[in-house]
């Protein structure tokens, strides 16, 4: 501020030029709160070219402005500047404005608050370069603003309080189809309404009506956003306009052409509706097909599935959602009680393999609960697949039953031979890994007689019960099968020791030996078992089964109700038996069988009372084969029936030519008793030969009376009824129970040669023989001592009271031709006549 001395201003009540302000390089003045001048410096006065007369403490801003140098162009008067200043100070507290002078100078003035209630004004000259720079900057800013406005996708306009256009962009004109060059800043809203009506945007609407509508909308602050469809307009557009009121700018209005968006939305809507309908139809179709249906994408994620699919596998809601991974569904299928039979891992792998293969496949899977599911897998072009899952339990029921029947014995439901062999083949694979297993061949003892005496229904029931006991006796890993008839087999795998097989066999023998109670019958049968252990006794099914059979054969011949392990020499014996059996089948036809007859002598009169027919087999290569060797083979193979019948016929025919008081004895096998034809065979042999039944004597052994009494006794009575005689042969072997003698009124009991041999050796043998003879006598039976080879034996049996003797001492078995001669010769010429006479002290004549 200039010092008073210098400006000489009397009015100044305070030093007008403040020394403090003078030190500031810029022009400075201070003002009170009413914008009245307080102090100034010289620079302030000079920059603004203010005459000292104007610069008075307490002068108003308006007075100062008006008293200063004339400004440039349309310079506002002091009053205007003051009111502007007041406004700006009230609002912004700090502002800058430039004051340009007519001579081109420009001064920038900055107003700022100044303690405590006043203002400070700082001013400095702006150079020409600065001005230009400022102008350029302004132009650049405007260009940037224009570019920014025009780059806006929407239309943009600003209206001041008088509803005049302040600012707009090209898009604004474009949207409404108004020519750009007809729009100017400062146009009134009414002008714009006239323009827009003129270009055809509002057919049938007057511009002033439109103007009122817009004006009211803005002034009354209604509908800040509005969407209008210019349906009937030349340009069919849909435009949304929104406005906001900015206190400094006025109304800022944006205009958006949303025609394309609307169309897109509408199209989308239509498409969605169509899709929804299609989905509904698809849903209905998918849910109404009887199969379970599912569709997966290439990532193995569920796209869609129907209700049946969920129901079929009991899938919870969260697993049938689109996007669920196949693995999760499979996991659920397996974990929740519906895994297929067999290996779960195998099932999982199979499903994954099918998916990976990407080929159409059809699988039939049996679930644990018995349902059978047919899965049809069909890959889709996008790398996913569609699969149908159908419950085909019903359809497959028959097929399954048939398949089951093909693999199981229908009576006992045990696996059959086929399954057994398959299991054995599977077990063979374990041999390489050092595993061992046993094959048990089981044959029931006395089962045939159950069938024959109690009927097949009872026989079947017994077989079922046997099957149940076998199932109970074996472990889960073992296979118990019925191979046919009364033949069973067990495959016992993973044995720790071969002895384990013996433990199992023993258990089975014991359990099958327990009586079976059925329909009021107490049925006692037994089991014989042969055991072959792999790999020692064979490495394949055929060998093992054959060897187990050999062992079984041994078990049977060594007394039933036993088990036997296979031994290597059994094989050779079997080979021999096989050869014999084959030869035996042709023996009758080839006329290789012959009968020989061994005389039996009556000790009362020392003469031949009868002859025992004994069969011989004259084998072309091996010579004479003893019946002791081939009869058991014939019994096992069933050949004993035709052979027995042949023997009966031959014996009766031969005896028919003998003297009428000579009997013929024929040995019968127990097996012949089991065949129903025996009675008929005997009857026809008698008829055809014309032999009196009383001259035929049938020899049976004790074993016949062991278990099959129910059946054999009636047959014996029927035979007796024919008039034939029945004798008990080989008494004393095996069982030697005197009670057998009471069970049937035998005509004769033949004491076995082993007893006769023992007679000489001690008192014990003699006591037994005398007991038998005594019992026989009391029961009205005659007794024959077999196998008498020495005179001592002859004497002893005679002393004991035996009725008849038979043995090499007196005569070996003779061929038929020799028998005829026997009767033709005079009695005295026979060696045996002399022997008997010498020993009995009496000589009798043989009848002719
Ligand atoms: P078996 O019925 O006890 O017959 C007597 C056996 O003793 C005969 O043996 C006979 O040759 C033999 N023998 C007779 N006297 C003596 C003797 O003093 N010492 C010795 N050591 N043996 C003597 P074979 O002919 O070898 O017959 C053996 C068995 O074969 C018979 O024993 C019989 O059980 C059976 N057999 C023979 N032929 C037939 C037949 O046609 N049918 C049936 N089912 N079995 C038969
Ligand atoms: Mg005999
Ligand atoms: Mg005998």
């Amino acid at each position: 501020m200039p010092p008073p001395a210098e400006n000489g201003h009397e009015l100044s009540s305070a030093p007008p030029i403040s020394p403090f302000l003078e030190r500031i390089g810029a022009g400075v003045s201070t003002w009170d709160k009413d914008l009245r001048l307080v102090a100034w410096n010289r620079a302030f006065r000079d920059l603004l070219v203010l005459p000292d007369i104007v610069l008075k403490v307490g002068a108003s801003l308006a007075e100062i402005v008006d008293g200063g140098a004339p400004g440039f162009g349309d310079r506002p008067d002091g009053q205007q500047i003051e009111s502007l200043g007041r406004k700006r100070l009230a609002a912004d507290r700090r502002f800058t404005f430039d004051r340009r002078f007519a001579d081109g100078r420009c001064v920038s003035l900055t107003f700022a608050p100044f303690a405590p209630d006043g203002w400070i004004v700082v001013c400095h000259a702006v150079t020409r370069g600065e001005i230009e720079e400022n102008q350029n900057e302004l132009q650049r800013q405007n260009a940037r603003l224009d570019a920014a406005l025009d780059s806006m996708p929407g239309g943009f306009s600003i209206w001041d309080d008088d509803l005049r256009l302040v600012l707009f962009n090209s898009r604004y004109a474009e949207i409404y189809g108004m020519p750009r060059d007809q729009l100017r800043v400062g146009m009134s809203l009414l002008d714009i309404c006239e323009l827009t009506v003129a270009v055809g945007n509002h057919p049938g609407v007057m511009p002033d009506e439109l103007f009122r509508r817009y004006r009211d909308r803005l002034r009354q602050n209604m509908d800040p956003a509005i969407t209008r469809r210019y349906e009937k307009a030349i340009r069919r557009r849909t435009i949304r306009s929104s406005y906001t009121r900015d206190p400094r700018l006025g109304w800022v209005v944006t205009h958006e052409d949303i025609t394309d968006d609307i169309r897109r939305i509408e199209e989308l809507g239509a498409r969605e509706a169509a899709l929804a309908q299609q989905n509904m139809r698809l849903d209905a179709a998918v849910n109404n097909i009887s199969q379970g249906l599912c569709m997966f994408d290439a990532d193995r994620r569920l796209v869609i599935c129907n209700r049946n699919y969920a129901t079929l596998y009991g899938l919870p809601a969260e697993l049938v959602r689109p996007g669920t991974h196949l693995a999760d569904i499979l996991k659920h299928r397996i974990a929740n009680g519906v895994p297929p039979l067999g290996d779960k891992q195998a099932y999982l792998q199979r499903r994954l393999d099918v998916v990976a293969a990407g080929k159409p496949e059809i699988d039939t899977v049996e679930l644990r609960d018995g349902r059978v599911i047919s899965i049809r897998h069909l890959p889709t072009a996008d790398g996913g697949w569609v699969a149908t899952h159908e419950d085909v339990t019903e359809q497959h029921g028959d097929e399954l039953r048939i398949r089951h029947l093909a693999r199981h014995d229908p009576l006992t439901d045990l696996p059959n031979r086929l399954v057994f062999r398959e299991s054995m083949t599977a077990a063979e694979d374990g041999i390489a890994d050092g595993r061992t297993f046993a094959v048990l061949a089981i044959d029931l003892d006395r089962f045939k007689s159950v069938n024959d005496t109690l009927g097949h229904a009872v026989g079947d029931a017994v077989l079922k019960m046997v099957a149940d006991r076998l199932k109970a006796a074996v472990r889960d890993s073992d296979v118990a099968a019925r191979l046919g008839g009364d033949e069973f087999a067990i495959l016992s795998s993973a044995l720790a020791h071969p002895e384990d097989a013996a433990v199992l066999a023993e258990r089975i023998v014991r359990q099958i030996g327990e009586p079976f109670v059925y329909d009021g019958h107490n049925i006692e049968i037994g089991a014989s078992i042969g055991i072959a252990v792999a790999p020692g006794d064979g490495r394949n099914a055929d060998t093992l089964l054959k060897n187990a059979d050999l062992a079984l054969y041994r078990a049977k011949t060594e007394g039933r109700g036993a088990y036997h392990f296979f031994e290597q020499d059994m094989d050779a014996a079997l080979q021999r038996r096989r050869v014999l059996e084959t030869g035996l089948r042709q023996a009758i036809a080839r006329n290789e069988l012959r009968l020989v007859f061994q005389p039996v002598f009556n000790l009362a009169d020392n003469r031949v009372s009868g002859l025992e027919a004994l069969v011989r087999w004259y084998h072309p290569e091996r010579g004479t084969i003893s019946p002791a060797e081939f009869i058991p083979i014939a019994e096992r193979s069933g050949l004993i029936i035709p052979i027995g019948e042949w023997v009966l016929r031959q014996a009766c025919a031969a005896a028919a030519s003998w003297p009428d008081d000579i009997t013929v004895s024929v040995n019968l096998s127990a097996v012949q008793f089991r065949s129903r034809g025996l009675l008929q065979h005997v009857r026809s042999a008698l008829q055809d030969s014309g032999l009196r039944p009383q001259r035929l004597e049938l020899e049976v052994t004790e074993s016949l009376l062991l278990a099959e009494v129910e059946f054999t006794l009636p047959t014996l009575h029927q035979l007796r009824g024919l008039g034939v005689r029945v004798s008990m042969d080989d008494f004393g072997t095996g069982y030697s129970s005197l009670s057998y003698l009471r069970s049937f009124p035998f005509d004769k009991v033949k004491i076995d040669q082993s007893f006769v041999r023992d007679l000489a050796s001690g008192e014990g043998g003699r006591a037994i023989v005398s007991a038998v003879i005594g019992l026989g006598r009391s029961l009205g039976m005659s007794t024959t001592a077999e196998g008498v080879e020495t005179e001592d034996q002859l004497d002893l049996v005679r002393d004991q009271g035996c009725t008849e003797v038979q043995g090499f001492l007196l005569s070996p078995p003779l061929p038929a031709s020799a028998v005829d001669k026997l009767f033709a010769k005079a009695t005295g010429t026979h060696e045996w006549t002399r022997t008997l006479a010498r020993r009995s002290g009496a000589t009798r004549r043989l009848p002719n």
Side-chain angles (χ1 to χ4, degrees):
M1 285 219 184
E6 253 182 65
N7 62 22
H9 208 294
E10 333 72 327
L11 277 179
S12 51
S13 53
I17 307 278
S18 150
F20 167 71
L21 293 181
E22 275 309 305
R23 267 184 259 132
I24 299 174
V28 178
S29 59
T30 58
W31 305 73
D32 69 11
K33 66 177 191 306
D34 297 323
L35 275 178
R36 290 190 176 276
L37 189 60
V38 175
W40 63 95
N41 66 4
R42 242 189 283 267
F44 176 75
R45 183 195 64 194
D46 297 346
L47 274 170
L48 295 174
V49 204
L50 295 169
D52 285 334
I53 185 91
V54 179
L55 288 169
K56 282 186 220 134
V57 172
S60 73
L61 180 59
E63 286 164 358
I64 301 279
V65 171
D66 288 341
F72 175 79
D74 53 346
R75 177 171 70 87
D77 61 13
Q79 206 56 53
Q80 273 179 318
I81 290 197
E82 186 172 320
S83 79
L84 181 69
R86 283 182 194 285
K87 240 192 236 173
R88 301 291 276 276
L89 289 173
D92 298 345
R93 306 287 293 162
R94 177 194 177 102
F95 74 95
T96 300
F97 79 93
D98 295 340
R99 176 118 166 84
R100 297 179 78 180
F101 296 88
D103 59 2
R105 281 187 313 110
C106 180
V107 176
S108 162
L109 293 99
T110 299
F111 286 67
F114 187 64
D117 262 343
W119 299 92
I120 186 168
V121 175
V122 180
C123 49
H124 66 271
V126 181
T127 61
R128 190 175 295 275
E130 277 173 338
I131 294 168
E132 276 170 14
E133 179 54 34
N134 281 351
Q135 272 173 347
N136 290 343
E137 179 59 27
L138 201 66
Q139 276 167 2
R140 274 202 294 278
Q141 272 181 14
N142 282 340
R144 276 204 291 273
L145 183 65
D146 282 349
L149 286 176
D150 285 342
S151 70
M152 285 171 62
F156 181 82
S157 60
I158 297 180
W159 305 80
D160 67 11
D161 292 351
D162 300 329
L163 293 177
R164 286 187 177 277
L165 190 55
V166 173
L167 194 71
F168 68 93
N169 64 356
S170 317
R171 184 82 186 113
Y172 169 62
E174 229 172 85
I175 281 178
Y176 292 102
M178 299 179 291
R180 169 72 179 80
D181 53 9
Q182 292 190 25
L183 287 183
R184 265 171 297 105
V185 170
M187 280 176 88
S188 71
L189 181 59
L190 183 61
D191 297 339
I192 295 292
C193 288
E194 278 171 348
L195 192 58
T196 188
V197 167
V199 298
N201 280 337
H202 301 271
V205 181
M206 297 308 287
D208 51 347
E209 191 200 330
L210 192 63
F211 166 72
R212 274 195 302 278
R213 230 188 269 161
Y214 284 157
R215 185 197 56 199
D216 295 348
R217 183 181 159 208
L218 293 176
R219 292 244 166 102
Q220 293 166 26
N221 198 21
M222 300 187 304
D223 305 330
I226 203 163
T227 301
R228 189 181 304 277
R229 289 179 87 122
Y230 294 85
E231 291 271 328
K232 296 189 181 115
I234 292 171
R235 304 172 71 253
R236 294 170 184 214
R237 313 299 298 169
T238 303
I239 293 163
R240 180 164 59 210
S241 61
S242 325
Y243 67 87
T244 52
R245 170 94 185 135
D246 184 288
R248 281 174 303 177
L249 295 173
W251 285 283
V252 178
V253 189
T254 58
H255 312 260
E256 268 177 285
D257 184 339
I258 55 171
T259 316
D260 292 343
D261 293 347
I262 295 279
R263 192 178 305 132
R264 255 201 309 282
I265 288 167
E266 281 173 356
E267 275 173 18
L268 217 64
R271 260 216 305 280
E272 256 169 23
L275 206 67
Q277 193 177 35
Q278 198 182 328
N279 277 346
M280 237 166 61
R281 288 194 195 127
L282 191 69
D283 257 20
V286 157
N287 280 322
N288 279 308
I289 62 171
S290 58
Q291 295 110 326
L293 179 115
C294 59
M295 187 178 195
F296 284 84
D297 64 16
D299 296 331
R300 301 181 177 186
R301 293 195 177 275
L302 187 65
V303 175
I304 188 178
C305 71
N306 68 356
R307 270 194 296 275
N308 280 344
Y309 178 70
T311 316
L312 205 57
Y313 295 110
L315 297 174
E318 68 265 22
L319 281 183
V320 296
R321 266 195 220 120
T324 307
H325 200 277
L326 172 69
D328 295 330
I329 293 178
L330 286 179
K331 236 181 274 162
H332 177 92
R333 260 150 69 171
I334 288 171
N336 284 270
V338 287
L341 291 174
D343 190 6
K344 294 173 183 179
Q345 195 53 44
Y347 171 74
L348 190 67
Q349 198 51 54
R350 168 67 189 157
R351 296 315 327 144
L352 295 177
D353 287 349
V354 165
V355 169
K359 287 185 305 189
E361 307 248 13
I362 300 178
D363 276 331
T364 302
V365 180
E366 196 178 337
L367 304 185
R368 189 199 280 160
D369 60 10
R371 284 182 298 154
V372 180
I373 308 294
S374 164
I375 307 178
R376 283 163 181 269
H377 177 93
L378 195 71
T380 51
D382 64 354
W385 71 93
V386 176
T388 58
H389 296 243
E390 191 172 6
D391 187 335
V392 291
T393 316
E394 292 232 334
Q395 297 96 298
H396 276 236
D398 292 341
E399 192 190 314
L400 283 180
R401 267 190 295 282
I402 290 164
R403 199 156 14 125
H404 185 86
L405 282 179
R407 298 175 60 80
H408 290 81
D409 163 45
L411 177 67
T412 61
D413 205 39
L414 285 178
N416 62 13
R417 187 180 285 271
L418 179 81
V419 175
F420 191 73
R421 292 197 70 103
E422 277 176 12
S423 310
M424 286 203 43
T425 311
E428 281 165 26
D429 297 341
I431 294 178
D433 305 333
R435 258 173 284 172
T436 162
F437 60 92
V439 179
L440 281 72
I442 305 170
D443 197 273
L444 299 185
D445 304 330
R446 299 180 292 277
F447 174 72
K448 186 86 169 76
S449 71
V450 173
N451 243 352
D452 290 344
T453 55
L454 302 176
H456 287 280
V458 178
D460 285 354
V462 169
L463 285 175
K464 275 194 221 174
M465 290 188 279
V466 166
D468 289 343
R469 288 187 191 179
L470 285 180
K471 275 183 228 168
V474 300
R475 291 175 306 179
D476 282 352
S477 55
D478 297 342
V479 179
R482 183 180 174 212
L483 304 186
D486 60 349
E487 273 180 78
F488 295 84
I490 289 171
L491 172 69
S492 186
S493 39
L495 295 178
H497 311 281
E499 298 86 78
D500 292 350
V503 173
L504 176 62
E506 215 168 85
R507 188 161 65 228
I508 292 171
V509 165
R510 196 175 54 243
Q511 289 180 359
I512 303 294
E514 296 284 320
F516 291 88
V517 179
Y518 180 78
D519 204 14
H521 300 285
N522 202 40
I523 302 157
E524 286 186 40
I525 57 169
S528 299
I529 300 176
I531 307 169
V533 181
D537 298 343
R539 304 181 74 91
N540 62 60
D542 284 333
T543 314
L544 286 163
L545 272 172
K546 187 195 78 188
N547 289 346
D549 257 345
L550 285 173
L552 170 63
Y553 184 82
R554 180 68 62 87
K556 283 234 175 223
T557 49
E558 286 188 358
R560 292 144 183 243
Y563 67 89
H564 209 292
F565 276 94
F566 169 75
E567 287 158 11
Q568 291 301 333
D569 66 352
M570 289 176 177
D571 207 11
L574 176 86
Q575 288 311 324
R576 192 176 144 76
R577 267 201 310 276
R578 286 254 172 80
V579 171
L580 283 185
E581 194 183 309
T582 318
L584 198 56
R585 285 184 191 281
Q586 294 129 17
I588 302 176
R590 289 186 183 166
N591 211 15
E592 290 168 6
L593 295 184
R594 293 285 155 74
L595 286 187
V596 291
F597 299 93
Q598 187 176 31
V600 180
F601 299 87
N602 189 311
L603 289 178
D605 54 12
N606 290 339
R607 60 172 212 131
V608 176
S609 54
L611 294 106
E612 179 176 6
L614 297 162
V615 69
R616 294 287 176 271
W617 179 12
Y618 296 102
H619 194 278
E621 285 131 38
R622 296 180 44 200
T624 307
I625 300 175
S626 154
E629 186 173 354
F630 74 82
I631 288 293
I633 296 171
E635 284 177 333
R636 247 183 100 78
S637 61
L639 284 171
I640 192 66
I641 307 295
I643 292 174
E645 191 188 354
W646 179 87
V647 170
L648 263 173
R649 294 188 157 275
Q650 295 290 313
C652 289
S657 65
W658 302 340
D660 194 51
D661 60 341
I662 303 293
T663 60
V664 63
S665 310
V666 172
N667 293 284
L668 291 184
S669 153
V671 177
Q672 286 173 275
F673 271 78
R674 292 185 200 136
S675 91
R676 299 180 184 269
L678 179 62
L679 209 67
Q680 185 49 41
H681 291 162
V682 173
R683 211 185 273 131
S684 75
L686 287 171
Q687 266 169 12
D688 294 354
S689 62
L691 191 73
R692 275 194 301 122
Q694 289 70 24
R695 291 180 61 200
L696 176 63
E697 187 175 291
L698 300 174
E699 296 189 6
V700 298
T701 56
E702 279 178 282
S703 64
L704 187 73
L705 297 170
L706 271 178
E708 301 163 2
V709 184
E710 309 96 294
F711 190 68
T712 45
L713 276 184
T715 311
L716 285 173
H717 283 288
Q718 282 169 320
L719 288 171
R720 173 59 76 65
L722 293 177
V724 301
R725 296 154 59 87
V726 181
S727 63
M728 158 74 76
D729 198 2
D730 299 344
F731 188 78
T733 54
Y735 310 98
S736 315
S737 168
L738 292 176
S739 64
Y740 292 134
L741 294 179
R742 296 182 202 275
S743 62
F744 182 79
F746 293 100
D747 295 286
K748 182 193 280 182
V749 52
K750 298 181 77 170
I751 300 167
D752 190 68
Q753 46 185 281
S754 58
F755 268 90
V756 175
R757 223 171 286 135
D758 288 349
L759 270 180
S761 60
E763 285 299 317
R766 258 174 247 181
I768 294 170
V769 170
S770 73
V772 174
I773 293 169
L775 181 68
R777 196 185 292 135
S778 71
L779 292 171
M781 302 173 192
S782 61
T783 41
T784 304
E786 291 186 87
V788 175
E789 294 179 353
T790 64
E791 294 190 349
D792 277 356
Q793 289 169 345
L794 178 62
D795 291 347
L796 282 164
V797 295
R798 195 197 294 270
D799 287 351
Q800 296 292 332
C802 228
T803 356
E804 290 173 326
V805 288
Q806 184 181 355
F808 294 162
L809 175 69
L810 297 170
S811 172
L814 308 168
S817 55
V819 177
D820 290 338
K821 277 181 214 147
L822 180 80
F823 296 120
K825 262 188 170 178
T827 308
T829 60
H830 290 293
E831 184 61 28
W832 47 265
T833 321
R834 283 193 292 276
T835 310
L836 281 173
R838 189 173 60 247
R839 282 292 159 187
S840 66
T843 307
R844 305 259 173 113
R845 285 185 61 83
L846 266 178
N848 269 334

